[in-house]
Amino acid sequence: MTTTQPPQPERKRKDEPGVERGDGRFPRGLALRLFFYVVAGHLLAAFLFLLFELGGGE
């Protein structure tokens, strides 16, 4: 007695991790992470700049 497994659904190319979206754009998760890292980096730099300006004393 042999059992056959049901056929696996074929994965679409867009469902695979690391695959570019259409028109050569970044994957959405990477673009969001990059945006938030840039924003967080600028906020940290602005905070440090403010600390140095306030601590300068002149």
Side-chain angles (χ1 to χ4, degrees), residues 13-14 19-27:
R13 184 165 167 79
K14 69 176 186 170
V19 175
E20 289 185 356
R21 295 189 302 163
D23 302 328
R25 295 182 294 174
F26 286 122

Side-chain angles (χ1 to χ4, degrees), residues 2-58:
T2 60
T3 59
T4 58
Q5 295 182 3
Q8 298 293 328
E10 290 189 27
R11 293 182 68 180
K12 298 176 185 170
R13 184 165 167 79
K14 69 176 186 170
D15 293 337
E16 294 181 18
V19 175
E20 289 185 356
R21 295 189 302 163
D23 302 328
R25 295 182 294 174
F26 286 122
R28 178 170 290 160
L30 178 63
L32 285 175
R33 245 180 309 166
L34 181 63
F35 175 75
F36 285 120
Y37 288 155
V38 167
V39 169
H42 280 82
L43 288 175
L44 178 62
F47 178 69
L48 291 175
F49 180 76
L50 177 65
L51 287 180
F52 278 103
E53 285 293 315
L54 294 176
E58 288 190 41

